């Protein structure tokens, strides 16, 4: 299932070589550049948080230069770019990290995280220390803070009359776009659908043309990317309370002095907190707008989805990569 072994992935990154992008923050007042790549838009809450909160806080010694919509680096290539010294930071997913370190799939598993607060407790718990240490040691990437993306739901082109999603069985044969890594595809299958890998930037067009039946994302993303224009229903499956990490070049970090490092860490935490509140607010207030655009929103049989999804992970290759006891620790940090 995991096509890229850790060794192969690390080797391919090492082959990129370390470029000169991570210039040290000069003590002579010359600012360093923090380049940031995301496939999200400029109006995405996580992008806004970095631009409005993180950037001003580090502006004394760093120029923040963001690239949105996958323009700097394509979705899924950002971590390699940081590791290769060609990018300072990104909004990285656990699914992308699982390409290098399969154990990260635990944070990409359906119905594990319960809500935004649970994500924060998990990220700050000592259980995360070995995960963070591995990413830093083997990829040269520091995970500074956890950002909230939101509850992912199934969003389809079909009307509810054409397809009423009550249980995973109703998604049989549904061509559901999921992002292009193994952890995402696994989740799509676990939902009962026929997952198709596709870059985020292609989703609107593929929905519009009918190349795919649907996609899964939180409500704020459905609005931000106008997916409501090309879909007819949202089944509130809440199958993944999704997160991203603020991933930062260890090489750049090591070039900063202690005060600058403290400032970067505080700026990342402040941006993550701001973005989390913003995203929660959007999530809680967007359903009426989406309905007003002609999209039906309803809750399917959540117990059936949870049971089915969780059952798919039991005994899976993904679950085999999870360190002993970590799932119990994550669950113990829940409500
Ligand atoms: C997506 O491709 O559906 C996804 O939501 C996956 C996330 O991990 C994240 O990369 C996100 O896209 C982008 O940041 C765009 O919102």
């Amino acid at each position: 299932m995991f096509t890229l072994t850790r060794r192969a992935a690390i080797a391919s990154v090492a082959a990129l070589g370390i470029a000169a992008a991570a210039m040290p923050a000069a003590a002579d007042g010359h600012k360093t550049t923090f380049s940031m790549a995301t496939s999200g838009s400029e109006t995405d809450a996580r992008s806004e948080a970095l631009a409005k909160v993180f950037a001003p806080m580090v502006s004394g010694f760093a120029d923040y230069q963001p690239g949105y919509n996958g323009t700097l680096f394509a979705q899924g290539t950002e971590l390699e770019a940081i590791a290769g010294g060609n990018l300072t930071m990104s909004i990285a997913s656990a699914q992308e990290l699982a390409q290098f370190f399969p154990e990260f799939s635990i944070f990409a598993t359906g119905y594990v995280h319960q809500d935004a607060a649970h994500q924060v407790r998990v990220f700050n718990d000592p259980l995360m220390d070995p995960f963070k240490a591995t990413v830093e040691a083997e990829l040269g990437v520091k995970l500074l803070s956890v950002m909230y993306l939101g509850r992912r739901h199934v969003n389809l082109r079909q009307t509810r009359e054409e397809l009423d999603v009550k249980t995973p069985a109703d998604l049989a044969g549904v061509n559901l776009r999921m992002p292009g890594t193994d952890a995402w595809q696994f989740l799509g299958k676990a939902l009962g659908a026929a997952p198709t890998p596709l870059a985020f930037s292609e989703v609107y067009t593929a929905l519009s043309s009918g190349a795919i039946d649907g996609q899964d994302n939180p409500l704020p993303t459905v609005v931000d990317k106008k997916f409501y224009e090309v879909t007819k229903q949202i089944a509130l499956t809440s199958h993944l309370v999704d997160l991203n990490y603020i991933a930062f070049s260890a090489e750049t970090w090591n070039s900063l002095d202690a005060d600058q490092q403290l400032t970067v860490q505080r700026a990342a935490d402040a941006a993550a907190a701001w973005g989390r509140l913003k995203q929660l607010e959007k999530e809680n207030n967007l359903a009426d707008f989406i309905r007003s655009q002609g999209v039906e929103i309803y809750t399917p049989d959540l117990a059936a989805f949870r049971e089915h999804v969780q059952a798919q992970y039991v005994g899976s290759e993904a679950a085999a990569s999870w360190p002993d006891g970590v799932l119990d620790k994550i669950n113990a940090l829940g409500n």
Side-chain angles (χ1 to χ4, degrees):
M1 185 183 56
F2 292 104
T3 51
L4 204 57
T5 64
R6 174 182 305 199
R7 192 173 304 157
I10 303 291
S12 76
V13 165
L16 288 172
I18 303 295
M23 297 298 287
D28 61 3
H30 186 79
K31 286 189 187 180
T32 188
T33 296
F34 287 175
S35 54
M36 195 287 295
T38 177
S39 50
S41 72
E42 190 170 356
T43 48
D44 178 290
R46 295 158 303 161
S47 302
E48 280 196 338
L50 289 174
K52 292 183 177 170
V53 180
F54 178 85
M57 285 178 73
V58 300
S59 64
F61 54 92
D63 272 328
Y64 175 70
Q65 289 184 6
Y68 303 111
N69 301 309
T71 47
L72 273 185
F73 290 95
Q75 184 175 33
T77 64
E78 302 94 335
L79 288 167
E80 280 112 316
I82 298 175
N86 299 309
L87 178 69
T88 316
M89 53 194 291
S90 76
I91 298 174
S93 67
Q95 292 83 352
E96 287 157 0
L97 283 156
Q99 290 284 97
F100 299 94
F101 314 108
E103 62 270 28
F104 266 86
S105 62
I106 198 166
F107 308 116
T109 293
Y111 300 106
V112 167
H113 283 115
Q114 296 173 3
D115 52 31
H118 189 200
Q119 290 177 351
V120 176
R121 287 197 294 275
V122 169
F123 185 78
N124 293 329
D125 191 86
L127 78 85
M128 275 304 293
D129 292 349
F131 288 87
K132 293 173 184 167
T134 300
V135 178
E136 183 164 352
E138 298 197 27
L139 206 54
V141 171
K142 286 182 79 73
L143 303 180
L144 294 183
S145 210
V146 65
M147 295 192 122
Y148 180 66
L149 179 54
R151 293 176 182 276
R152 296 181 82 98
H153 306 297
V154 171
N155 173 210
L156 301 172
R157 290 180 83 238
Q158 291 92 334
T159 63
R160 199 172 171 195
E161 287 68 42
E162 291 163 340
L163 177 58
D164 188 14
V165 180
K166 293 197 187 77
T167 69
D170 299 314
L171 288 177
V174 169
N175 189 2
L176 185 69
R177 175 271 170 180
M178 301 291 286
T181 71
D182 297 333
W184 284 116
Q185 297 298 304
F186 189 94
L187 180 58
K189 272 198 207 103
L191 282 167
T196 301
L198 194 67
F200 186 66
S201 54
E202 311 292 322
V203 175
Y204 184 98
T205 309
L207 285 170
S208 177
S209 71
I212 52 173
D213 292 323
Q215 66 91 31
D216 84 307
N217 255 298
L219 299 186
T221 307
V222 170
V223 172
D224 191 53
K225 299 306 287 186
K226 297 191 164 53
F227 293 152
Y228 57 79
E229 291 179 349
V230 284
T231 55
K232 288 290 178 209
Q233 62 158 299
I234 296 175
L236 295 171
T237 43
S238 290
H239 51 270
L240 185 68
V241 181
D242 204 9
L243 58 76
N244 292 105
Y245 304 109
I246 299 180
F248 196 87
S249 156
E251 191 192 12
T252 303
W253 176 271
N254 292 332
S255 75
L256 302 173
D257 66 32
D259 285 345
Q260 291 169 335
Q261 289 175 348
L262 185 65
T263 303
V264 169
Q265 182 61 61
R266 288 206 170 142
D269 290 338
W274 187 95
R276 187 175 305 115
L277 292 180
K278 184 90 175 168
Q279 194 76 339
L280 284 166
E281 182 193 317
K282 287 187 183 188
E283 220 175 14
N284 291 332
N285 292 305
L286 287 176
D288 284 349
F289 169 76
I290 296 172
R291 285 196 177 98
S292 78
Q293 301 302 303
V295 175
E296 190 165 355
I297 302 182
Y298 63 101
T299 305
D301 182 343
L302 281 182
F305 270 99
R306 187 177 301 112
E307 215 172 284
H308 187 266
V309 168
Q310 288 179 338
Q312 308 313 305
Y313 285 91
V314 176
S316 68
E317 194 180 329
S321 72
W322 302 344
D324 281 348
V326 170
L327 185 59
D328 290 340
K329 286 183 190 163
I330 294 173
N331 289 336
L333 292 167
N335 297 314

